[in-house]
Amino acid sequence: MARDTAPSGAAAPVDGDLVPLVPRPRQPAEVPPRARPATAAGGTGAAAVSGRTGRVAGLLVIALGAIYLAWRTATLGGTSAIGYLFYAAELVAYLAVGWTAVMMGRLRPGAARQAPPPVGTLDVFVTVCGEPAAMVERTLRFALAIDYPHQTYVLNDGRIAGRKDWREIDALASRLGVPCFTRVDGTPGKAGNLNHALARTRGDAVLALDADHLVVPDLGEQVVGYLRDPDVGFVCTAQRFDTGRLDVLNNADSIFYRSLQPAKERDNAAVSCGNGTLYRRSALESVGGFSEWNIVEDVQTSYELHAHGWSSVYHPVPISIGTAPATAAVYAKQRLRWAMDSTRLLLFDNPLAKPGLTRWQRAHYLHSTLSPLLASVQVVFALGPVLSIVFRSQLASTGSQRAYLLFGLPYFASTLFFIAAYAGTRAAPRTVSSVLFNSPIYLLALARVASGYRPRSSGTTEKAFQPKVSLLMLPQVLLAAVLVFSVVFYAFDTRADRPVEALAWAGILLVTLAGPLSSVSERRAAVERWQAPIRGAIILAVAFLSAWTFAH
């Protein structure tokens, strides 16, 4: 099959709302390439993580957390089982942040690895499953305009998935002169779609591209050359999304792309995120193609490649930009799917028992798969205010409230400092918010996986019409309602010694949940306008009640 570049009329379009956000223009070949510094997720130009700052933050949070938890043992006397439950949750949270600090400590910032000149043939697989034809056309035009000899393919799974517009995608591919594979049978899901095309193509390398992602024209120069190293099985890249000005839902996931992936890279444990990953065909063939065992194909395929001795490369510069969940309903569905994927791997293909992995690879995969379960303890903390304010449950012994500030505040401040060091100052609040919002989802993922439930198809994130509400948001809505009730109850509570610390706790949690829970519109600008009034009202209410308490 002839390899080609963009056919006549297939140049990358210059209009459209995502086009100005395409990560970077092509660097002219006559200009000597410079080392590309590691950037924050999304290629926003944020400074690379300071290794010294990150390690200091990690040591601080481990040390101050140990001091705090040691002090907390003296406050458990006279508390009920609820007090011990909260202490157990604090131990789990400390384990999570401490383990993360150790794994982040593997990060060694510096100039990103530079790919040598590209070589070999390239297949670009654009996976489609019900996305609008206009969206797919724009993606295809950008893919066709890649300035490196390649063959673009449409992998149309609309027919097997029962999508009404699958014929439109076939017609679009025909009009653009792009070969199209439309499955009529086989394993449902993206992995089956990719394997169907893999068996019918022959390029030395395969790039997986989602139907909504606009790719840079100099992709070949940026990533294909990494495959000159015969040990490299795949190259994963940073992701960039159109997240709006505030990224209320933390779609950029800065701590992952800015710090966790580079830390994994040091230990040859970087994982594919699906879109924008370049695979060596022979590496895929050595493990039987893309993994169809788990919920999604990306992490499991990386896992199998690493276990079979293949090396990975993390390229910290985004090579494409795409859409991201705009509503909390779609975001929750996406995160549930990912959490179930991680939990299945943990329970049924545990990294500790996986042959072929190095010790650090086991540590990284175990950390990744355990993280959702460890983060789920945030649900316990969210129930603290109502227990303290309404039921007057003793979470710590009487008389320890003031000392709590002495030991607790430094630990909590060091935790925020640690997150800011690795995620970025602006992204730190969003990171905390997403963990709290996702904690009930992680518990649901565990319940579904433990019960043997597995969705028939891996599914895709909605990219056109995005539902505004979902039953998956019900636990978070209930948590917020309980917190609001706690604040209102506090205002009318006539009992003595009202716990003002619990009131502040409720206010902080409400401010943290406000962003995700207010994301009920696809219009990001409208959601962003709501943030200041909603959070301002919460802060003013809590501040007024606190001042009233101290005055009386």
Side-chain angles (χ1 to χ4, degrees):
M1 180 181 296
R3 324 299 294 182
D4 54 44
T5 54
S8 175
V14 296
D15 58 348
D17 53 347
L18 289 182
V19 177
L21 302 176
V22 172
R24 62 186 290 274
R26 178 176 183 271
Q27 183 176 337
E30 64 271 12
V31 178
R34 295 174 293 176
R36 300 182 178 94
T39 62
T44 57
V49 177
S50 166
R52 179 174 298 178
T53 301
R55 286 192 292 276
V56 168
L59 290 173
L60 270 177
V61 77
I62 291 173
L64 293 175
I67 294 171
Y68 166 76
L69 290 172
W71 168 79
R72 276 280 282 131
T73 59
T75 71
L76 296 176
T79 62
S80 63
I82 294 178
Y84 284 91
L85 173 64
F86 267 76
Y87 184 68
E90 288 181 310
L91 286 173
V92 173
Y94 175 72
L95 172 63
V97 72
W99 191 0
T100 301
V102 171
M103 304 314 295
M104 294 287 206
R106 302 295 295 170
L107 174 64
R108 292 295 182 268
R113 195 192 315 189
Q114 180 74 41
V119 66
T121 54
L122 173 66
D123 289 337
V124 178
F125 289 176
V126 179
T127 54
V128 182
C129 188
E131 290 83 0
M135 174 185 288
V136 177
E137 178 172 359
R138 185 164 53 169
T139 296
L140 288 175
R141 289 188 179 277
F142 271 81
L144 290 167
I146 293 172
D147 193 11
Y148 181 78
H150 69 287
Q151 178 65 61
T152 299
Y153 296 92
V154 175
L155 280 55
N156 183 11
D157 238 16
R159 182 173 181 178
I160 194 174
R163 305 301 173 91
K164 296 179 179 179
D165 64 346
W166 67 268
R167 291 184 178 84
E168 295 180 39
I169 303 301
D170 280 1
L172 170 64
S174 177
R175 175 163 57 86
L176 294 179
V178 178
C180 180
F181 299 121
T182 302
R183 293 199 296 163
V184 296
D185 55 22
T187 305
K190 184 177 177 182
N193 195 13
L194 289 166
N195 284 330
H196 181 263
L198 188 67
R200 291 160 175 77
T201 54
R202 62 181 186 183
D204 299 324
V206 171
L207 177 76
L209 196 63
D210 286 351
D212 61 315
H213 273 257
L214 311 182
V215 69
V216 295
D218 65 338
L219 176 147
E221 175 197 329
Q222 288 203 48
V223 298
V224 175
Y226 288 120
L227 296 185
R228 280 184 176 270
D229 182 342
D231 293 329
V232 173
F234 66 103
V235 181
C236 39
T237 63
Q239 302 288 292
R240 186 177 183 185
F241 305 99
D242 177 20
T243 60
R245 184 172 56 89
L246 298 181
D247 188 20
V248 175
L249 291 172
N250 193 41
N251 283 301
D253 207 356
S254 297
I255 199 168
F256 179 77
Y257 293 110
R258 172 183 166 125
S259 300
L260 269 173
Q261 279 281 63
K264 294 173 185 288
E265 160 76 354
R266 183 188 177 192
D267 296 314
N268 189 31
V271 295
S272 164
C273 297
N275 172 76
T277 300
L278 180 75
Y279 298 92
R280 185 189 299 274
R281 179 179 293 272
S282 59
L284 286 172
E285 291 172 345
S286 73
V287 297
F290 294 91
S291 175
E292 300 181 20
W293 173 78
N294 218 340
I295 308 297
V296 293
E297 89 295 340
D298 43 17
V299 174
Q300 188 70 29
T301 300
S302 305
Y303 191 52
E304 296 298 336
L305 289 168
H306 281 141
H308 281 74
W310 291 98
S311 297
S312 58
V313 172
Y314 176 62
H315 183 73
V317 180
I319 61 169
S320 68
I321 182 169
T323 61
T327 67
V330 177
Y331 177 81
K333 181 179 177 181
Q334 179 195 69
R335 299 297 156 144
L336 175 62
R337 189 167 66 247
W338 293 355
M340 289 181 63
D341 185 82
S342 295
T343 305
R344 288 189 85 246
L345 193 150
L346 175 70
L347 296 183
F348 305 125
D349 195 9
N350 193 281
L352 294 178
K354 187 72 170 178
L357 297 178
T358 67
R359 285 178 295 177
W360 277 110
Q361 284 176 330
R362 294 185 198 282
H364 282 289
Y365 276 109
L366 192 62
H367 176 258
S368 296
T369 55
L370 262 177
S371 290
L373 296 184
L374 297 178
S376 64
V377 300
Q378 299 299 322
V379 172
V380 177
F381 300 137
L383 296 174
V386 70
L387 292 173
S388 297
I389 294 172
V390 178
F391 300 102
R392 295 295 177 94
S393 299
Q394 287 293 323
L395 306 183
S397 60
T398 304
S400 63
Q401 300 303 319
R402 299 298 179 263
Y404 200 96
L405 299 179
L406 177 63
F407 289 94
L409 278 183
Y411 172 41
F412 301 142
S414 68
T415 302
L416 291 176
F417 175 50
F418 170 72
I419 295 171
Y422 283 110
T425 305
R426 294 183 62 185
R430 299 195 298 265
T431 303
V432 175
S433 178
S434 65
V435 171
L436 179 59
F437 178 83
N438 289 329
S439 55
I441 295 173
Y442 297 151
L443 288 175
L444 177 60
L446 174 62
R448 286 191 172 186
V449 172
S451 69
Y453 173 79
R454 188 189 192 283
R456 180 175 176 269
S457 169
S458 61
T460 57
T461 302
E462 287 88 345
K463 300 180 176 71
F465 170 74
Q466 300 203 17
K468 294 178 174 59
V469 294
S470 165
L471 284 176
L472 293 177
M473 296 172 58
L474 183 59
Q476 295 88 334
V477 172
L478 290 176
L479 283 178
V482 167
L483 291 169
V484 170
F485 173 76
S486 301
V487 173
V488 174
F489 188 93
Y490 184 97
F492 295 96
D493 190 3
T494 58
R495 293 174 294 179
D497 299 324
R498 289 183 297 177
V500 68
E501 296 89 351
L503 173 67
W505 185 0
I508 292 170
L509 291 174
L510 279 172
V511 168
T512 303
L513 281 173
L517 285 180
S518 63
S519 298
V520 293
S521 171
E522 294 181 74
R523 296 180 297 140
R524 285 194 171 92
V527 173
E528 290 170 353
R529 286 196 300 270
W530 302 338
Q531 298 310 305
I534 293 174
R535 292 174 177 175
I538 296 169
I539 293 171
L540 285 175
V542 171
F544 174 79
L545 288 173
S546 300
W548 181 267
T549 300
F550 287 118
H552 294 79

